[in-house]
Amino acid sequence: MNLPNKLTILRVIMIPFFVVFMYLDFAAAKWIALGIFIVAAITDTLDGQIARRCNLVTTFGKFMDPLADKLLVCSAMICFIELEKLPAWFVIIIIGREFIISGFRLIAAENGVVIAANYWGKFKTVSQMIMIILLLIDLGGVFDILEQIFIWLSLALTVISLITYIWQNRSVLSMQD
C-alpha cells in the first residue's frame, strides 16, 4: 500500500473520532474536533499531490479518495444539523449532489469512461471545508457573516459543479439508451 492510499485510509479512520469530539461536552472538545478535521483536510490535499507527483495513482485511490472526502464533509454537515448550525434541506442538497455525481461516475465507468474531478468540484470541496472550519470555530460577531457567506457559497458551488459535471459529460447519459 502506497503513501497516498495510507493517507486516505487515515482520513477515513479519523472521521469517527472527529464526530465523537463534535458531541463531547467539555471545553477543548470542539478544538480537538477542529484539529482532527484540519489534519484530515490536509491529508486530502497531500494524498492527491503525492499520488500525481510520484506516479502513485491507483484504482483504490481513485475510488477511496473522493469517498473519504464525501464521508468527512457529509459527517460534519450531518452533525451540524443536530447542533442547529445548518438546516437539513441544505445538507440534503449537498449529499444529494454527491449521490448524483457518484451514480453518474458509476454509469460512466461501466461504459469505460472516467470522469475526472473538475475545478468547480474542487472549489466546492474547499468552500465546504472552510465553511466547516468556520462553523467549528464559532467565533460569533463578524464571523457569523463570514460563516453565512461560506454556507451560501458552498451551496452555490455544489449546484454549479453538479450542472457542470452533467453538462460536460452528458454523452454518458446517451450511453444508457
Side-chain angles (χ1 to χ4, degrees), residues 65-134:
D65 179 59
L67 181 60
D69 299 343
K70 289 171 179 54
L71 287 170
L72 177 65
V73 169
C74 291
S75 295
M77 288 191 214
I78 290 168
C79 292
F80 286 140
I81 293 171
E82 189 173 345
L83 297 172
E84 298 182 356
K85 292 186 175 198
L86 287 176
W89 65 265
F90 174 90
V91 177
I92 290 167
I93 291 171
I94 302 287
I95 293 173
R97 181 257 185 218
E98 301 306 337
F99 275 105
I100 291 167
I101 295 300
S102 295
F104 202 67
R105 283 189 167 138
L106 183 61
I107 292 168
E110 287 177 357
N111 290 287
V113 177
V114 175
I115 298 177
N118 67 26
Y119 284 105
W120 288 109
K122 293 179 188 292
F123 295 149
K124 175 221 34 125
T125 301
V126 169
S127 71
Q128 289 174 350
M129 289 186 174
I130 292 170
M131 174 195 70
I132 290 166
I133 290 168
L134 290 170

Side-chain angles (χ1 to χ4, degrees), residues 31-175:
W31 299 108
I32 295 169
L34 175 67
I36 292 169
F37 185 83
I38 289 172
V39 170
I42 290 169
T43 67
D44 177 34
T45 301
L46 285 177
D47 66 7
Q49 287 179 349
I50 294 168
R52 286 184 295 278
R53 187 173 358 111
C54 299
N55 197 25
L56 297 172
V57 176
T58 64
T59 302
F60 177 85
K62 287 180 190 177
F63 174 75
M64 281 304 296
D65 179 59
L67 181 60
D69 299 343
K70 289 171 179 54
L71 287 170
L72 177 65
V73 169
C74 291
S75 295
M77 288 191 214
I78 290 168
C79 292
F80 286 140
I81 293 171
E82 189 173 345
L83 297 172
E84 298 182 356
K85 292 186 175 198
L86 287 176
W89 65 265
F90 174 90
V91 177
I92 290 167
I93 291 171
I94 302 287
I95 293 173
R97 181 257 185 218
E98 301 306 337
F99 275 105
I100 291 167
I101 295 300
S102 295
F104 202 67
R105 283 189 167 138
L106 183 61
I107 292 168
E110 287 177 357
N111 290 287
V113 177
V114 175
I115 298 177
N118 67 26
Y119 284 105
W120 288 109
K122 293 179 188 292
F123 295 149
K124 175 221 34 125
T125 301
V126 169
S127 71
Q128 289 174 350
M129 289 186 174
I130 292 170
M131 174 195 70
I132 290 166
I133 290 168
L134 290 170
L135 289 170
L136 282 167
I137 294 172
D138 193 23
L139 294 174
V142 71
F143 288 97
D144 288 343
I145 295 168
L146 196 56
E147 286 176 8
Q148 288 301 310
I149 289 169
F150 273 93
I151 287 169
W152 289 103
L153 178 63
S154 294
L155 184 63
L157 290 172
T158 294
V159 173
I160 290 167
S161 68
L162 172 64
I163 293 167
T164 303
Y165 272 108
I166 291 173
W167 180 255
Q168 289 176 343
N169 299 286
R170 62 191 178 278
S171 62
V172 170
L173 294 175
S174 65
M175 293 177 181

Side-chain angles (χ1 to χ4, degrees), residues 18-26 29 75 78-80 82-83:
F18 164 71
V19 170
V20 166
F21 280 100
M22 290 275 293
Y23 288 101
L24 290 179
D25 190 23
F26 64 94
S75 295
I78 290 168
C79 292
F80 286 140
E82 189 173 345
L83 297 172

